[in-house]
Amino acid sequence: MPDTAPTIMWFRDDLRLGDNPALCDAVSRGRVVCLYVHDPAFPLGGAEKWWLHGALSALDHDLRAQGGRLCIMAGDTHESVLWLAARTGAGAVVWNRRYGPRARQVDTDVKAALKARGVDAHSHPGNMLHEPWQVRTKQGTPFRVFTPWWRAVQAKGPPLPPLPAPDQPAFAVVPPEIGDRLVRPADLALLPVRPDWAQGLRAQWQPGEAAAHARLDAFVAERVHGYATQRELPAQPATSGLSPYLRFGHVSPRQVWHAVETLGPGDQDSACFLSEVGWRDFAHATLFDFPGMGTGNLRPEYDNMPWRHDPVALRAWQKGKTGYPIIDAGMRELWHTGWMHNRVRMVVASFLTKHLLLDWRVGEAWFADTLVDADAASNPFNWQWVAGCGLDAAPYFRVFNPVAQGEKFDPAGDYVRKWVPEIAHLPNKYIHAPWKAGPSAPGGYPAPIVDLAGGRARALAAWKAL
DNA sequence: TGCCTTTTTGC
DNA sequence: CAAAAAGGC
């Protein structure tokens, strides 16, 4: 009976019911089976795993409120999707697109295998403002520079208006013999035990679509005004905090765009914020067009950069014990909350790749393991941007001085005092350069692990020799 | 979405 | 001679 064949809605990085084109397609076809596959071939960082546990629980909760449920499978993606399609007698499988090379390969293979078995398969644009291939130069080539790309995006007019969540969706009953293969979020062992390092994450974040919209609404009401200037100050609660919600698709960039754009297109603050959302799209479009971005320098001359091997320095950077307060505050914020202020991300990344001359991929890996918002596009894109090896990157000679950056963007030292309490007693004069306060290391705070002038000179010499 | 040094300016 | 501008990395 073809009219009773269910449609599988395959959730991936789009864990929401609102503005979900694939879900709307599935509901329009009849009864729906909702699927998520947790595949060890696509490993997540520790913070992402913590987030995913809450995200899957929230999505299952939201589906149950509508009379459905989330079917979670653990194992090989291709095998899992094909297995569920066969066992449920699905007539179609639908999903929203991903843009990384490995994910695209899997999706292409799954689509072909489904169609070979007579199952319809359809992918949708759900996670970007625009699909990468929709924004092209006059020559039809990919943009390599953000500003002209962003101008071309804006010339296209507003992105598609967000779709409402499906009204009264019909869900297929999942038979018990299929239920035996399904798992609960707890079975995926996503949460840390011994040690439980997630207290800070629990205190700061609530995964899920409802929390995403609460955060978006609060940002639009309270923080867009003044964003353009305040966003640079890490001690201020001036940023949106939406990055992990966008990472897991609890909210779509189109929803964000339309919520902010209602404030008026000429507004400086909303324009500044929307361009940050634009950078997210640009990173994904760049990964789509340059699929090696995740692991290889986009500027091949950097293949000859003499990156150092220095596990002691790397460990100090990771632990927030470099002796430079703004660096250590950022790295401790990251470890404690799974997030770091963007200004500080640039400073710590510059310090790692330039003053310490360590490979950007080492920093990217640490961020991927500790950030709740890391994704396959934004994280390597931004590291390549800072390191200088990206297509539209900051030039290598632009070296952030952690003392100068601290004094400029944390002038009262509030950010440093919050995360580096052992030097909180120092006056503002010394808060970003505690070694100047006296010979004794206050409170056990380490001496600087590298000389700023020497590290800078070493990095510039290495770059000149490329 | 620099930093540092040198040169020029303006008093 | 201090501050601003310029220039190179």
Side-chain angles (χ1 to χ4, degrees):
Chain A
M1 290 186 292
D3 62 322
T4 62
T7 299
I8 294 176
M9 166 61 206
W10 180 17
F11 284 97
R12 300 98 64 82
D13 298 326
D14 51 356
L15 304 178
R16 65 177 180 276
L17 305 184
D19 193 32
N20 192 319
L23 179 61
C24 290
D25 179 23
V27 168
S28 76
R29 293 172 186 246
R31 291 176 300 116
V32 178
V33 174
C34 294
L35 168 66
Y36 184 89
V37 180
H38 185 60
D39 185 344
F42 288 84
L44 297 175
E48 285 179 305
K49 282 199 259 184
W50 175 85
W51 189 286
L52 181 65
H53 178 98
L56 295 175
S57 304
L59 181 61
D60 185 51
H61 173 272
D62 294 345
L63 286 168
R64 285 177 192 273
Q66 303 274 329
R69 64 169 293 191
L70 181 63
C71 297
I72 303 172
M73 300 179 72
D76 179 74
T77 300
H78 190 283
E79 189 274 334
S80 299
V81 175
L82 270 291
W83 184 89
L84 191 69
R87 292 303 180 97
T88 57
V93 181
V94 297
W95 60 81
N96 296 306
R97 291 186 195 109
R98 305 183 284 192
Y99 304 91
R102 293 185 55 223
R104 280 166 58 201
Q105 186 62 57
V106 168
D107 293 356
T108 301
D109 293 346
V110 167
K111 183 178 274 190
L114 287 166
K115 292 195 168 177
R117 287 160 177 74
V119 181
D120 191 18
H122 198 84
S123 59
H124 292 266
N127 296 325
M128 295 292 122
L129 293 171
H130 303 281
E131 298 299 278
W133 51 88
Q134 292 176 334
V135 188
R136 289 297 188 227
T137 66
K138 285 202 177 75
Q139 290 77 40
T141 57
F143 283 95
R144 295 166 164 258
V145 178
F146 175 77
T147 304
W149 175 88
W150 186 231
R151 271 201 288 272
V153 165
Q154 289 172 306
K156 294 167 72 70
L160 291 174
L163 298 163
D167 185 40
Q168 310 239 326
F171 294 99
V173 175
V174 178
E177 68 271 19
I178 290 171
D180 289 347
R181 171 102 193 248
L182 304 182
V183 298
R184 296 162 299 168
D187 300 322
L188 298 174
L190 298 168
L191 298 180
V193 289
R194 286 200 311 277
D196 171 19
W197 43 258
Q199 303 97 312
L201 279 70
R202 285 193 291 274
Q204 173 137 342
W205 303 107
Q206 172 138 31
E209 186 172 4
H213 285 280
R215 195 169 276 265
L216 174 58
D217 293 347
F219 177 69
V220 170
E222 299 160 23
R223 296 212 284 277
V224 173
H225 183 68
Y227 176 83
T229 52
Q230 298 293 104
R231 74 192 178 104
E232 295 282 26
L233 307 175
Q236 296 298 122
T239 61
S240 75
L242 285 170
S243 54
Y245 296 97
L246 286 162
R247 154 68 182 85
F248 287 91
H250 297 319
V251 65
S252 77
R254 293 194 293 245
Q255 289 174 313
V256 172
W257 196 94
H258 282 279
V260 172
E261 182 66 5
T262 57
L263 298 174
D267 180 64
Q268 279 252 315
D269 291 313
S270 54
C272 178
F273 175 72
L274 289 177
S275 83
E276 298 297 330
V277 181
W279 277 101
R280 175 184 177 277
D281 253 49
F282 188 58
H284 285 79
T286 305
L287 178 62
F288 178 85
D289 289 312
F290 303 92
M293 184 183 82
T295 51
N297 300 311
L298 291 175
R299 291 174 187 263
E301 64 268 29
Y302 279 74
D303 294 349
N304 296 319
M305 181 63 86
W307 303 116
R308 298 188 316 123
H309 174 73
D310 187 344
V312 173
L314 174 61
R315 200 77 193 133
W317 178 81
Q318 290 171 331
K319 289 268 170 194
K321 291 181 185 289
T322 67
Y324 290 104
I326 194 79
I327 305 286
D328 295 339
M331 298 307 293
R332 295 181 196 188
E333 178 181 40
L334 171 61
W335 179 253
H336 193 75
T337 71
W339 185 88
M340 193 196 305
H341 189 278
N342 187 59
R343 163 60 53 176
V344 188
R345 293 190 197 198
M346 292 190 284
V347 179
V348 302
S350 170
F351 184 78
L352 186 85
T353 55
K354 297 177 183 182
H355 290 103
L356 295 180
L357 204 61
L358 296 181
D359 194 324
W360 64 267
R361 281 158 285 229
V362 172
E364 194 273 341
W366 181 253
F367 271 29
D369 196 28
T370 53
L371 279 170
V372 289
D373 62 27
D375 67 48
S378 298
N379 195 36
F381 179 94
N382 287 323
W383 273 95
Q384 295 216 40
W385 185 89
V386 174
C389 50
L391 295 178
D392 180 25
Y396 194 83
F397 54 75
R398 211 173 266 176
V399 181
F400 290 73
N401 181 320
V403 177
Q405 289 282 310
E407 289 171 347
K408 188 170 178 187
F409 295 108
D410 186 33
D414 296 328
Y415 181 70
V416 162
R417 289 193 178 89
K418 177 173 182 181
W419 294 109
V420 194
E422 63 266 40
I423 57 169
H425 62 281
L426 289 176
N428 287 355
K429 188 179 167 190
Y430 299 124
I431 194 69
H432 294 294
W435 60 91
K436 291 182 182 166
S440 65
Y445 188 68
I449 61 167
V450 65
D451 172 64
L452 289 183
R456 180 174 194 270
R458 179 175 62 185
L460 292 177
W463 167 71
K464 270 189 82 174
L466 281 185

